[in-house]
Amino acid sequence: MTFPQNLTRWLIAALFIAISPLSSWAQAPKSITNVVTTEQVRAELMAYAPDGIDPGKTVWVGLQLAHQPHWHTYWKNSGDSGQPTSLSWTLPTGVLAGDIAWPTPKILPTGNLVTYGFNGTVLLPVPLTITPDFKPSPLSSELEVKLQASWLVCKLECVPQDGEFVLRLPTKSSTALNAGVFEASFQASPKPLAGQSQINIEGQQLKLTVSGLPTTLQGQKLELFPEVTELVDAGAPWTQAWSGAVWTASLPISPHRSDSPTALPVVLVSDVAGQRNGFVTTAPITGSWPANPPPGQAEVAQPQLNPALKPIPAAPAVPTSFWLALFGALLGGLLLNLMPCVFPVLAIKVVGFTRHADDRHGHRMSGLAYSAGVVLSFLALGALMLVLRSAGEQLGWGFQLQSPAVVAALAALFTLIGLNLAGLFEFGQLLPSRLATLQSSNPAVNAFLSGVLAVAIASPCTAPFMGASLGLALALPPLQALLLFAALGVGMALPYLAASWSPALARKLPRPGPWMDTFRRAMAFPMFATVVWLVWVLGQQTGIDGAGALLALLVSLALVIWAFTLRGATRLPVAAVSIAILLTLTWAIGKNVVHFAEPNSTASTSTNSRWQAWAPGKVDELLASGSPVFVDFTAAWCVTCQYNKKTTLANTDLLADLDAKKVVLLRADWTRRDPAITTALAALGRNGVPVYVMYQPGKAPVVLSEILSVADVRGAMVGL
């Protein structure tokens, strides 16, 4: 049997292998625990029920956030920027959750902005009221508390994060393990003020008067935190003064005010020798609110933002309209055919192209079916990425190869392809006869699945014009975003579609003959080379143990295939033993293939001291010191990235120029999912790699072409 006749059969079998891990990723629920740990925050759900869980009792639960140094989250009013932590509870009938008893906030150091929040370790306690309607299950004497929390953690860059938590509290006894943590939080909460407060509106100012503050505070400066957002201009100057025991303040009204309340709760904080004491009061408001300024004036009144906290402007290549983005996607898909990662599929299609050279109708049907497979696969991949991002996942183009399970499945797929092309077996030996004859009854399926395979291989790469369009896609409504993905598919399928409908080209193709079998066997080697690359990618994710385990499993898979090619009485016993070996190895070492290895913080710099590891905020720190910066956003699974790394970025003359200009080289490795890198790419208007950016102090960043050249980098250094 010739190669094109078998293509459908091994693709049908292999696609189930390749797609199943990706589907499980999209559908699998997040692990539920009472602790969620990220690189920036350790979040833990705690409980405090010293009086037990009975009707009429109050049970305290709270989310404790332990921040890494220099990172912070936000208070109920975040100030000039940020977003408060939100808690969504799932509780049994008869249990009601109250509001967060917010601790006393701090003014956070964020350049020219004024923001309110917390660093270090903070507990956000919430009271749960147990009503008579609460009836514990007769099968379980526990109160189950579930929490869906989301928070924004920031340093110089901000990372949105979330987590699902669950606690099961015994209903027959008290819970006081975390008593010290809750009592300390209660002590740190602002205390109600016994005195009176009043706000009078005078022009664009709020005149606040407060009495009843402790006499020990008289004459001291206080911090003020309004609980209502966008009412007081947090970043603008304000004044305060004491008149005997009465404290007064003049607060500027925010130019972005959208509400006109009749009262304003405020928190006043004294800080004496590091001892912070907070007091809360609600001040009635008298007077008439001024009219909101026109939008243009509001923008003028906005305080100047710290450049390090602004979204980084995208490069000039970012499309400014949907139609331009659509054209960019079409052109990017067309150029995607020239990327190294697509070469193996193009080689396979040469054989199929030759086979249909004398069949104009079959040739055209093949072109249409291949194009349909490419376009529909782009749509499916784009839809999956949009759904996962809407669910809170930080993903970008090529996200599926950030999953070790998908990388391993593709390695198994290409091993099967290589063994088939090399002539070790025909799928007719392994599959039922009905499936084995599918090609003869429906030849278009072969071309369709070839298009699906082409997209699977091309997905980790980006081509010129493609990155900007993909970056814009995630900011567009779903329908327009999917149109961009469809345009990518049309662009990629266009060369083959055009050739399939050109009789002149078909006549120039060589006639089928013995050379086709030789060509088929030769094409096994690009497949095996692809397997080598995938094993290397997996090694970057799971370490040497994961790569070794995958190699052992691939050898066992080849043993199973070989066993089924045997004839006579030995076939079934040898096949049974080989399958047993494969299953045993999968059970014993399969976990090494899918589990990420512990990250090595020095991995990116150990082999080349010239390159430093990228980290959130590092670019801003270097620019503030006056150093220009070049950033390589890369990934092990991106063939284009590796090609540029081994050619342009290894050019000794270029590296000498970069050293002479004192350009700091940073490498952001996106081989594993990294929300911080995803956020940085989005700020540049990109959502996939490779991305190359030149930063110069006082200038907008320059995003270079995905196909990097020495001239491109030198051009970006003009002015240094």
Side-chain angles (χ1 to χ4, degrees), residues 40 67-73 118-119 153-155 157 159 616:
Q40 299 82 17
H67 306 83
Q68 290 294 324
H70 311 299
W71 291 88
H72 59 263
T73 53
F118 312 98
N119 50 26
V153 57
C154 299
K155 186 168 63 173
E157 288 190 354
V159 182

Side-chain angles (χ1 to χ4, degrees), residues 67 71-75 102-105 108 116-120 122 124:
H67 306 83
W71 291 88
H72 59 263
T73 53
Y74 292 95
W75 187 52
W102 290 94
T104 301
L108 300 171
Y116 310 135
F118 312 98
N119 50 26
V122 66
L124 306 180

Side-chain angles (χ1 to χ4, degrees), residues 449-535:
L449 293 178
S450 296
V452 175
L453 182 63
V455 175
I457 300 304
S459 58
C461 293
T462 56
F465 305 100
M466 179 179 166
S469 295
L470 283 176
L472 181 64
L474 297 181
L476 292 173
L479 180 59
Q480 293 183 16
L482 289 177
L483 285 176
L484 285 178
F485 281 101
L488 278 170
V490 171
M492 182 175 175
L494 197 57
Y496 185 80
L497 180 64
S500 68
W501 282 72
S502 172
L505 180 59
R507 286 192 296 268
K508 293 180 180 179
L509 292 174
R511 296 289 180 177
W515 70 270
M516 293 181 63
D517 186 64
T518 302
F519 185 79
R520 166 192 170 177
R521 295 176 188 276
M523 287 302 99
F525 293 98
M527 297 299 108
F528 292 138
T530 304
V531 174
V532 172
W533 166 63
L534 289 168
V535 172

Side-chain angles (χ1 to χ4, degrees), residues 200-219:
N200 295 320
I201 301 174
E202 298 182 8
Q204 295 292 329
Q205 298 287 315
L206 300 178
K207 302 295 185 178
L208 172 63
T209 302
V210 180
S211 61
L213 288 164
T215 56
T216 56
L217 301 184
Q218 293 182 19

Side-chain angles (χ1 to χ4, degrees), residues 133-198:
D133 294 331
F134 172 61
K135 307 294 182 185
S137 169
L139 301 179
S140 174
S141 58
E142 294 179 329
L143 166 62
E144 184 177 75
V145 178
K146 292 183 178 180
L147 170 64
Q148 172 70 52
S150 62
W151 58 89
L152 183 68
V153 57
C154 299
K155 186 168 63 173
L156 290 178
E157 288 190 354
C158 293
V159 182
Q161 297 177 345
D162 57 42
E164 294 184 11
F165 306 81
V166 65
L167 275 180
R168 294 178 175 87
L169 309 178
T171 58
K172 303 299 185 182
S173 62
S174 61
T175 301
L177 180 64
N178 299 306
V181 176
F182 278 86
E183 292 297 339
S185 178
F186 298 153
Q187 291 296 322
S189 298
K191 306 300 186 293
L193 198 60
Q196 296 182 343
S197 57
Q198 177 69 42

Side-chain angles (χ1 to χ4, degrees), residues 24 36 114 117 207 213 219 240 274 307 382 397 418 443 531 607 611 696:
S24 63
V36 171
V114 173
K207 302 295 185 178
L213 288 164
Q240 59 177 300
W397 183 247
V531 174
T607 59
W611 291 89
Q696 296 185 35

